[in-house]
Amino acid sequence: MQQQDFSWMVPIEVMLGSFNHGEVQACSISIVPDEIREEKEKSFKPKFVSIGPLHRGTTRHLQLMEEPKWSYMREFLNRTGNRTENRRAETRLRDCGADILKLVKVVSASYGGTVQSEPNELAKIMIVDGCFLLELLIKLGDYITQQGNQSSSNSNDTILENKEKVVSVLNDITMLENQIPFIVLKKLYRKVFQDNSVIDNDHRVANIVRKAFGYPEVDSSGGAHVLHLMHLSTVQQDQQQQSEVNKRAKKELKRCAARLIAAGVTIQPAKDGSHHNLVDKFNFMINFKNSALEIPELRVKETTEVRWRNLIAWEQSKIWVSCKYTSYALFFQGLICCKHDIEMLLEKEVIINEANKSKEELLDLFRTMSKGAERMDSSYSEICNKLNEYRGRKIKTVLQKKPLVIWHKCRHVFEIMLYYWGNWYRILIRDHIPTVWKFIGVLAAVALLVLTIMQTYYSAESAHSSGSGSGGGGGKGKG
């Protein structure tokens, strides 16, 4: 009797098996939906370095970074371990290979079972990228501690040689599609730095990640991957109930900054103490009391947009993740409707533009940050309701509200007209008159059309005048 082939069921078995694994979350590294990525494609595609199989070698720049990866991998494997344990890199590499190969099924489950690589090839990617990422995170932690100062040890480093590359790398390793399972990092780290504790209680790698991104170190072992750990470092998961997590995403604040000020609300920043030019801090503690809306300062850096967008993408990819970053983005979307609001919030130092973005770029950032999101939590529902209903004293309403609101409305309408005019002009130039000669031809045709209309008009007027004159003369003679 011929034995039936069940090889097609292997991916299903892999996925089911991962649910019983304490250190792995199935489908935790996924492709960002088109609804979220369409506004800013470059925020989700690595520019400088790829981690994992999803973007490996997809562009020339990513291919060029494969060689420095091997250099970083060698440095990591040659690091001195604890106590007298100081094995050769080759021995450590073989041990890493044996351990990672055992994890191939759960690694595949982390990518939803969609990765087509052979087990040995997938294990190779995990070892090379995992060792590279660990060495990079260790160096980034030291770089952040030194406040980004150039040191002699980084002068020949192809990745940390200048701030521009550091920013690119920081952006790349925080992208949802550019992750590897955290358990891989733990396994590799334990082969170089031996420890007798069980792997799920080992918080050393998690604290390396926290140090690299400027978060406080705590005794917590981490999450599904680096981006998940960043989310855990800023959002308390146990503070959200399931009903709040599943709330439909919508803009709850109906009044922008100008309208709030016109209604008697005082907007003021809450200072956040010390800061680093490469560390993004999102403080969600927005308060409204006694007509004062206090918003922690939001420092917009060169890494802010990529990090914020990918944290939102992570929140939208898992039903059990609290959507704090999404709700935060929706609050700012309601607070800002035009450049006038941007100017006010910059003046009040609620927004600090460290990336030197134009007002148009900032407006686009806040308008599109939450686009495509379907779920949010109830973090700001109560505050938004109070702000929507707040009315200041009547004397302020009469004397101050109307001039500010009228000026704000006029600016808003003008910006909308300018926006659509700019779009129309770009489409016209791109699709209809892409060359100078076509542009001249269009101008000539328009001029000819105008002259023809004018000639027709004046001819008609002349004929009408002649007819009127002759008619008037005949009547007079008859009389």
Side-chain angles (χ1 to χ4, degrees):
M1 184 176 177
Q2 188 176 4
Q3 189 174 1
Q4 193 171 359
D5 182 17
F6 287 99
S7 59
W8 60 274
M9 293 190 66
V10 171
I12 302 175
E13 294 171 352
V14 167
M15 292 297 295
L16 286 175
S18 70
F19 283 99
N20 296 324
H21 199 292
E23 285 290 300
V24 175
Q25 293 177 11
C27 305
S28 58
I29 306 169
S30 58
I31 301 296
V32 177
D34 292 339
E35 295 84 0
I36 294 177
R37 74 185 305 140
E38 65 182 357
E39 284 297 328
K40 278 294 174 70
E41 175 80 17
K42 64 181 182 179
S43 293
F44 304 101
K45 292 179 66 175
K47 173 185 175 183
F48 195 60
V49 60
S50 66
I51 303 293
L54 297 183
H55 289 280
R56 188 176 181 84
T58 54
T59 67
R60 179 173 174 272
H61 289 291
L62 297 181
Q63 289 175 352
L64 289 174
M65 277 305 300
E66 290 302 310
E67 185 177 348
K69 276 187 186 180
W70 288 87
S71 176
Y72 265 54
M73 176 183 178
R74 182 182 58 200
E75 289 183 49
F76 176 71
L77 292 174
N78 282 327
R79 282 186 175 270
T80 303
N82 293 339
R83 307 183 189 91
T84 58
E85 197 280 323
N86 191 20
R87 296 172 295 157
R88 295 181 60 189
E90 292 80 1
T91 306
R92 288 173 172 169
L93 181 58
R94 292 193 190 97
D95 291 345
C96 289
D99 276 9
I100 298 303
L101 195 57
K102 295 175 184 176
L103 291 174
V104 164
K105 287 187 176 181
V106 293
V107 167
S108 179
S110 297
Y111 295 97
T114 58
V115 177
Q116 301 298 321
S117 302
E118 293 294 325
N120 290 347
E121 179 64 21
L122 185 57
K124 173 189 166 185
I125 294 173
M126 291 298 108
I127 293 170
V128 175
D129 288 0
C131 290
F132 162 75
L133 184 56
L134 282 167
E135 182 67 20
L136 175 64
L137 289 167
I138 293 170
K139 289 185 175 183
L140 280 173
D142 296 335
Y143 187 92
I144 295 296
T145 303
Q146 297 165 6
Q147 290 291 313
N149 294 327
Q150 185 75 22
S151 64
S152 58
S153 61
N154 293 333
S155 57
N156 297 322
D157 196 309
T158 56
I159 296 177
L160 304 179
E161 61 182 358
N162 57 56
K163 182 184 174 184
E164 182 181 355
K165 285 192 174 181
V166 173
V167 168
S168 294
V169 170
L170 281 170
N171 282 336
D172 287 349
I173 64 177
T174 57
M175 294 178 182
L176 177 57
E177 297 177 4
N178 214 30
Q179 302 292 319
I180 59 176
F182 211 74
I183 190 173
V184 171
L185 300 181
K186 287 185 178 181
K187 284 282 188 183
L188 295 173
Y189 191 84
R190 285 163 64 86
K191 289 303 174 185
V192 175
F193 299 93
Q194 294 287 331
D195 191 278
N196 294 325
S197 64
V198 292
I199 192 168
D200 57 348
N201 290 327
D202 191 351
H203 56 263
R204 293 176 297 170
V205 176
N207 278 334
I208 289 173
V209 176
R210 293 184 183 103
K211 183 179 179 182
F213 289 100
Y215 300 127
E217 298 181 19
V218 296
D219 292 343
S220 176
S221 59
H225 41 69
V226 169
L227 184 66
H228 183 202
L229 178 59
M230 295 170 66
H231 195 273
L232 289 170
S233 298
T234 50
V235 179
Q236 294 295 324
Q237 302 295 317
D238 57 356
Q239 291 180 354
Q240 298 297 331
Q241 298 177 359
Q242 191 67 22
S243 60
E244 293 178 332
V245 172
N246 289 329
K247 185 177 179 180
R248 185 176 66 85
K250 61 179 180 178
K251 185 171 68 174
E252 295 182 304
L253 185 59
K254 307 301 181 184
R255 286 173 162 180
C256 61
R259 291 175 180 272
L260 289 173
I261 292 171
V265 175
T266 302
I267 300 177
Q268 57 193 37
K271 298 297 181 181
D272 202 15
S274 61
H275 61 91
H276 189 284
N277 59 1
L278 290 174
V279 174
D280 281 287
K281 288 185 177 180
F282 293 90
N283 189 332
F284 305 114
M285 299 301 294
I286 299 172
N287 294 303
F288 178 56
K289 188 177 181 180
N290 297 330
S291 78
L293 175 60
E294 189 175 75
I295 306 173
E297 59 184 13
L298 174 59
R299 295 181 175 272
V300 179
K301 307 174 189 291
E302 293 171 351
T303 54
T304 302
E305 182 171 2
V306 171
R307 194 164 305 181
W308 198 352
R309 288 187 185 276
N310 279 274
L311 285 163
I312 288 176
W314 166 245
E315 290 180 343
Q316 299 301 311
S317 71
K318 290 291 182 182
I319 198 167
W320 46 265
V321 176
S322 65
C323 301
K324 199 79 172 181
Y325 283 91
T326 307
S327 299
Y328 187 63
L330 285 164
F331 181 86
F332 270 95
Q333 185 183 351
L335 194 64
I336 297 167
C337 74
C338 65
K339 286 190 291 184
H340 191 201
D341 296 312
I342 293 284
E343 290 171 3
M344 288 182 172
L345 295 176
L346 286 171
E347 182 182 348
K348 294 179 179 298
E349 296 186 345
V350 170
I351 298 173
I352 299 177
N353 187 13
E354 294 188 4
N356 294 320
K357 292 179 178 289
S358 66
K359 293 183 181 68
E360 290 79 7
E361 289 174 324
L362 288 173
L363 180 61
D364 180 66
L365 184 151
F366 290 109
R367 272 181 175 171
T368 64
M369 182 60 66
S370 58
K371 188 172 182 180
E374 295 182 350
R375 297 179 298 110
M376 62 182 290
D377 60 23
S378 301
S379 301
Y380 306 112
S381 297
E382 185 178 348
I383 292 175
C384 288
N385 289 335
K386 290 180 179 178
L387 290 170
N388 292 336
E389 298 171 1
Y390 182 80
R391 296 290 185 275
R393 283 188 273 177
K394 290 184 178 180
I395 187 171
K396 286 191 173 183
T397 302
V398 172
L399 296 180
Q400 296 180 8
K401 180 177 180 179
K402 286 187 178 178
L404 177 60
V405 171
I406 291 171
W407 168 239
H408 179 72
K409 284 182 178 178
C410 290
R411 288 196 57 169
H412 193 191
V413 171
F414 177 74
E415 286 180 18
I416 291 173
M417 292 173 61
L418 201 62
Y419 173 78
Y420 283 108
W421 167 258
N423 277 352
W424 176 83
Y425 177 76
R426 282 192 292 271
I427 292 170
L428 181 67
I429 294 296
R430 183 189 65 207
D431 298 338
H432 301 290
I433 46 176
T435 65
V436 175
W437 290 111
K438 284 191 175 183
F439 180 69
I440 293 173
V442 170
L443 288 180
V446 170
L448 183 61
L449 179 63
V450 171
L451 289 173
T452 302
I453 293 172
M454 291 175 63
Q455 184 181 10
T456 303
Y457 173 77
Y458 284 118
S459 297
E461 282 291 311
S462 177
H464 177 71
S465 298
S466 299
S468 299
S470 60
K476 186 177 178 181
K478 185 177 181 179

